[in-house]
Amino acid sequence: MPAKTAATLKDVARAAGVNDATVSRAFSGKAPVAVATRERVFEAAKALGYRRSGSAVAMRTGRTNCFALLLSTHGDRSVIPRLLINGVQHGMRPHDLHLAVEALPDHQLTSEGHVPKLLREVACDGLLINYNARIPRRMIELIREFHLPAIWLNSKQDSDCVYPDDHGAAVSLTQRLIELGHTRIAFVDYTHSKSETPWHYSGIDRRAGYEQTMKQAGLSPVRVGSSELRDQDAIWSSMTEFMQSDDRPTAVIGYRAIEARAAMHGALMARLVVPRDLTITCFADGIDQDVGPHITTMVVPDHQVGIVGVQTLREKVEQPDIALEPRPVPMRYEPGKTLAHAPKRNCPTKP
Amino acid sequence: MPAKTAATLKDVARAAGVNDATVSRAFSGKAPVAVATRERVFEAAKALGYRRSGSAVAMRTGRTNCFALLLSTHGDRSVIPRLLINGVQHGMRPHDLHLAVEALPDHQLTSEGHVPKLLREVACDGLLINYNARIPRRMIELIREFHLPAIWLNSKQDSDCVYPDDHGAAVSLTQRLIELGHTRIAFVDYTHSKSETPWHYSGIDRRAGYEQTMKQAGLSPVRVGSSELRDQDAIWSSMTEFMQSDDRPTAVIGYRAIEARAAMHGALMARLVVPRDLTITCFADGIDQDVGPHITTMVVPDHQVGIVGVQTLREKVEQPDIALEPRPVPMRYEPGKTLAHAPKRNCPTKP
DNA sequence: ATGAAAGCGCTAACAA
DNA sequence: TTGTTAGCGCTTTCAT
């Protein structure tokens, strides 16, 4: 019995009684092969348990048919955006691409020492970069240095990026509330302190879209929240206070679901009925799955960002030297059950 | 100006004035190279922006240095276990491996039609398979058919698998409660119906470990819950009822965090003080991050499973024909704040 | 529609 | 320690 080594294209060719090239053509589909021949080839391949060598194909063609997704992590509790990855895979499937993932702690990339393998070697055709926090300078250098085709996800850049249209979504949500007669609409954000500029564009854009729309309607924006209240309890009691105050809002836009849930709690404590006395909305990855009524949400289109990201990267790989226009992806509006017309005047403060 | 094509090892060799093989050795580190030579090589490489071709290396050596992680998804809302992926990456980093991810909806694998690229082609050295639900038969066939080195994660098999030691954890947790004087300890599980056998081994093992330990201590196991109560509200009110009943427990073991939270709610409604009147524990991926006191938890060691999984797969790749013993990974005990001695007798029912 | 032949970028003997 | 040489498994002209 000869040493059992994996079957190669050559073996298949021999078994099928055809030339190597024919087998290659049958598997790549890049040139016509007679139906009968193809069947014989596939049969032989199956019998031999033949699998095409991706590396050999890659070497010969110069294409790995692999995209890499770079993820930032904060220590071990990294954020792995499920819907984004699903979207990416979804976008890749029809093109027979596969996905490599590199999840690196921020400091690993900032440090000069370590260069991640996927950048250091030629192992994929292009990069999808999903850094929700600040992007390490060193990485940008590497990408330029090596001429890597790369698309930025969830990040606003001058070119080659795909991101949710936070600004547009904020405008549209605020308008919707105004149209329902709300005038006291508060924007709640416990992530970013009021003084600092948020490090993620969504912090800026959601707020800016809201403020701009309020002002255009002749209303005064009200911003609530502070990044100092780290702990859930503090946030909740702060919201309770707010909802019990005389100048409480009739509608709330939460930066995330957390803020919306805090508002729900505050409303409960202040004996306000949602949505009769208080309309609650927020931005979130999906409809909130926790208990209680579904919150009216502008849904961050992670899945779609993945799909569009792949499409964009495919273009970039074809023409690496052409800078692609930034591509905002519209958010989806999910009605939920926490939306109502503004209550009649002068009533709300005296329940 | 000549057409700009990526630098190859040959270019580097020429620029550094050495032979190809020397450059190869410098980069692979598999054979000694004079320090001075090596420096010249790296300089030349840097100047040329040289990156090693992973495909060429793979073809030559027969190793891709890539492991693939197969994930099941339920439609778009797939479970992507963050800590597991982190652990896998962590385990791979020192060996200069990289990770490919394939997240497939269950039906895609069950169907005869589609064979995922990572199985169909030679693109990685081995497979880490993380199917939390039933494993499609077709996949097992493919793996055998192609002789793929594979390790099952979070799944009990006859061999080649790595999984959290649910049984041991259940035993140890139950013992702990018994030692604190608890006799009425309930096991709560709203995932699995009481009659059916759970599809995931953790459903069996956590329950079995609990029951076995109770019986050995001469206590009667009490199982609560039913998979029919799909909706959160129903679960909560069911727990409330349980906590108000005369034969309420003094300690609870939740199958997941959801059950523990339901117990918290039930306790609140029944005016029981946690942990004075009721000890609450559960199994979970990490310490519960929601509001309220941290729940005493047996932490599922996802991160560690990733690390051990990689280690095991490395062994499997070296010796594909040796069946490796199943490797349970111990769970970690997190005290939390919901644990106390059993209340004195005859008191608890009359608050 | 198929065959013949050259070579992609790298590594592993072997020789020096 | 370094150079020489052959070839990994596949694709792609160019013929036929």
Side-chain angles (χ1 to χ4, degrees):
Chain A
M1 198 166 87
K4 189 170 179 178
T5 166
T8 72
L9 178 142
K10 207 168 223 145
D11 301 326
V12 177
R14 207 177 348 252
V18 295
N19 188 269
D20 301 12
T22 305
V23 179
S24 170
R25 290 192 264 253
F27 272 93
S28 73
K30 281 181 187 166
V33 172
V35 184
T37 318
R38 227 190 40 210
E39 274 182 11
R40 245 181 325 131
V41 168
F42 284 151
E43 250 170 54
K46 189 162 192 181
L48 293 171
Y50 168 69
R51 291 190 305 150
R52 221 158 147 230
S53 157
S55 329
V57 173
M59 189 167 103
R60 198 47 244 247
T61 61
R63 282 283 159 79
T64 60
N65 291 316
C66 172
F67 284 173
L69 180 61
L70 257 54
L71 260 13
S72 66
T73 70
H74 322 306
D76 269 352
R77 288 229 144 262
S78 76
V79 177
I80 295 201
R82 304 172 299 175
L83 296 179
L84 179 70
I85 292 192
N86 283 173
V88 167
Q89 299 254 357
H90 189 110
M92 298 203 318
R93 198 119 45 213
H95 308 285
D96 213 38
L97 296 160
H98 70 270
L99 181 69
V101 172
E102 186 107 44
L104 288 165
D106 280 3
H107 66 86
Q108 285 251 21
L109 261 187
T110 327
S111 72
E112 292 294 315
H114 178 83
V115 179
K117 196 186 170 208
L118 291 176
L119 299 190
R120 190 172 13 103
E121 292 200 348
V122 183
C124 56
D125 299 332
L127 259 39
L128 294 168
I129 309 179
N130 185 229
Y131 262 69
N132 33 24
R134 67 204 150 51
I135 293 157
R137 214 168 29 78
R138 176 83 182 114
M139 193 157 84
I140 299 183
E141 283 171 30
L142 283 170
I143 286 168
R144 245 197 288 274
E145 197 174 307
F146 290 139
H147 264 86
L148 299 175
I151 298 298
W152 303 92
L153 302 182
N154 285 313
S155 172
K156 268 182 154 177
Q157 306 285 328
D158 290 340
S159 66
D160 305 318
C161 59
V162 176
Y163 54 87
D165 183 12
D166 285 278
H167 191 275
V171 168
S172 125
L173 180 56
T174 310
Q175 258 165 2
R176 212 178 273 267
L177 298 179
I178 293 174
E179 279 162 16
L180 287 172
H182 293 279
T183 54
R184 301 198 48 78
I185 306 170
F187 184 86
V188 190
D189 178 357
Y190 283 99
T191 307
H192 308 99
S193 77
K194 246 172 283 190
S195 47
E196 288 171 338
T197 304
W199 38 257
H200 190 257
Y201 81 92
S202 72
I204 303 172
D205 281 13
R206 291 180 193 173
R207 181 204 287 177
Y210 156 77
E211 293 193 342
Q212 169 191 318
T213 311
M214 289 294 277
K215 283 177 188 158
Q216 274 176 12
L219 302 172
S220 347
V222 180
R223 289 222 320 268
V224 183
S226 133
S227 64
E228 273 95 67
L229 300 182
R230 284 253 153 246
D231 126 25
Q232 189 81 278
D233 284 342
I235 293 177
W236 283 34
S237 50
S238 143
M239 275 309 282
T240 303
E241 214 171 296
F242 183 40
M243 290 306 165
Q244 287 169 336
S245 68
D246 279 354
D247 56 346
R248 69 169 183 79
T250 63
V252 158
I253 299 177
Y255 174 60
R256 299 157 302 169
I258 289 186
E259 278 84 1
R261 258 180 263 131
M264 295 283 295
H265 180 83
L268 194 70
M269 293 292 121
R271 305 203 181 284
L272 300 174
V273 176
V274 175
R276 195 197 62 191
D277 306 322
L278 182 69
T279 282
I280 298 178
T281 67
C282 68
F283 301 84
D285 288 352
I287 265 284
D288 196 80
Q289 291 186 330
D290 277 4
V291 230
H294 286 325
I295 292 163
T296 301
T297 303
M298 293 301 302
V299 182
V300 179
D302 270 344
H303 191 268
Q304 192 61 21
V305 166
I307 292 178
V308 176
V310 168
Q311 167 57 26
T312 311
L313 183 52
R314 292 207 307 129
E315 295 171 23
K316 188 75 188 175
V317 167
E318 291 307 326
Q319 316 204 332
D321 296 325
I322 295 183
L324 299 168
E325 285 296 304
R327 304 193 181 169
V329 178
M331 292 206 188
R332 188 163 45 85
Y333 170 74
E334 279 287 346
K337 295 175 181 169
T338 58
L339 188 82
H341 281 88
K344 294 199 198 87
R345 294 197 186 193
N346 298 334
C347 292
T349 46
K350 298 169 191 170
Chain B
M1 200 165 88
K4 190 172 182 179
T5 167
T8 72
L9 178 144
K10 208 168 224 147
D11 301 327
V12 176
R14 207 176 351 249
V18 296
N19 187 271
D20 301 12
T22 305
V23 179
S24 171
R25 292 192 263 255
F27 272 93
S28 75
K30 282 181 187 167
V33 172
V35 185
T37 319
R38 225 190 40 209
E39 276 182 9
R40 249 187 317 134
V41 168
F42 285 151
E43 252 170 53
K46 188 162 193 181
L48 293 171
Y50 168 70
R51 291 190 304 151
R52 225 162 146 228
S53 157
S55 329
V57 173
M59 189 165 107
R60 197 47 244 248
T61 61
R63 282 285 159 81
T64 61
N65 290 315
C66 173
F67 284 173
L69 180 61
L70 258 54
L71 259 13
S72 65
T73 70
H74 320 306
D76 269 353
R77 288 228 144 262
S78 76
V79 177
I80 294 201
R82 304 170 300 175
L83 296 178
L84 178 69
I85 292 192
N86 284 173
V88 167
Q89 298 255 356
H90 189 109
M92 299 203 317
R93 198 120 45 215
H95 308 286
D96 213 37
L97 295 161
H98 70 270
L99 180 69
V101 172
E102 186 107 41
L104 288 166
D106 280 3
H107 66 87
Q108 286 252 16
L109 262 187
T110 326
S111 73
E112 292 293 314
H114 179 83
V115 179
K117 195 186 169 207
L118 291 176
L119 299 190
R120 193 174 7 107
E121 292 200 350
V122 183
C124 55
D125 299 332
L127 261 38
L128 294 168
I129 308 180
N130 185 228
Y131 262 70
N132 32 27
R134 66 204 153 53
I135 292 157
R137 214 168 29 80
R138 176 82 182 115
M139 192 156 84
I140 300 181
E141 283 171 27
L142 283 170
I143 286 167
R144 244 197 288 274
E145 196 173 310
F146 291 139
H147 263 85
L148 299 175
I151 298 298
W152 303 92
L153 302 183
N154 285 312
S155 172
K156 268 181 153 177
Q157 306 285 328
D158 290 340
S159 68
D160 307 318
C161 58
V162 175
Y163 54 87
D165 182 12
D166 285 278
H167 190 274
V171 168
S172 127
L173 180 57
T174 310
Q175 259 164 1
R176 211 179 274 268
L177 298 179
I178 293 173
E179 279 162 17
L180 286 173
H182 293 278
T183 53
R184 300 199 49 78
I185 306 170
F187 183 86
V188 189
D189 178 356
Y190 284 99
T191 307
H192 308 98
S193 77
K194 245 172 285 190
S195 47
E196 288 171 338
T197 303
W199 36 258
H200 190 256
Y201 80 91
S202 72
I204 303 172
D205 281 13
R206 291 180 194 173
R207 182 204 287 179
Y210 156 77
E211 293 192 343
Q212 168 192 319
T213 312
M214 289 292 279
K215 283 175 188 158
Q216 272 174 13
L219 301 172
S220 347
V222 180
R223 289 222 321 269
V224 182
S226 134
S227 64
E228 273 96 67
L229 300 182
R230 284 253 153 245
D231 130 21
Q232 189 80 278
D233 284 341
I235 293 178
W236 282 34
S237 50
S238 143
M239 275 310 281
T240 302
E241 212 171 298
F242 184 40
M243 289 307 164
Q244 286 169 337
S245 68
D246 278 353
D247 56 346
R248 69 171 185 77
T250 64
V252 157
I253 298 177
Y255 174 61
R256 299 158 303 169
I258 289 185
E259 277 84 2
R261 257 180 265 131
M264 294 284 295
H265 179 83
L268 194 71
M269 293 292 123
R271 305 205 179 283
L272 300 174
V273 177
V274 174
R276 196 198 62 190
D277 307 321
L278 182 69
T279 281
I280 298 178
T281 67
C282 68
F283 301 84
D285 287 351
I287 265 286
D288 197 78
Q289 291 186 330
D290 277 4
V291 230
H294 286 324
I295 292 163
T296 301
T297 303
M298 293 302 301
V299 182
V300 179
D302 271 344
H303 192 268
Q304 193 62 21
V305 165
I307 292 178
V308 176
V310 168
Q311 167 59 27
T312 312
L313 183 52
R314 292 206 309 128
E315 295 171 23
K316 188 75 188 174
V317 168
E318 291 307 325
Q319 316 203 333
D321 296 324
I322 296 183
L324 299 168
E325 284 297 303
R327 303 195 180 167
V329 178
M331 293 207 189
R332 188 162 46 84
Y333 170 74
E334 280 286 347
K337 296 174 180 167
T338 57
L339 189 82
H341 280 89
K344 295 197 198 86
R345 296 198 185 191
N346 297 335
C347 291
T349 47
K350 298 169 192 169

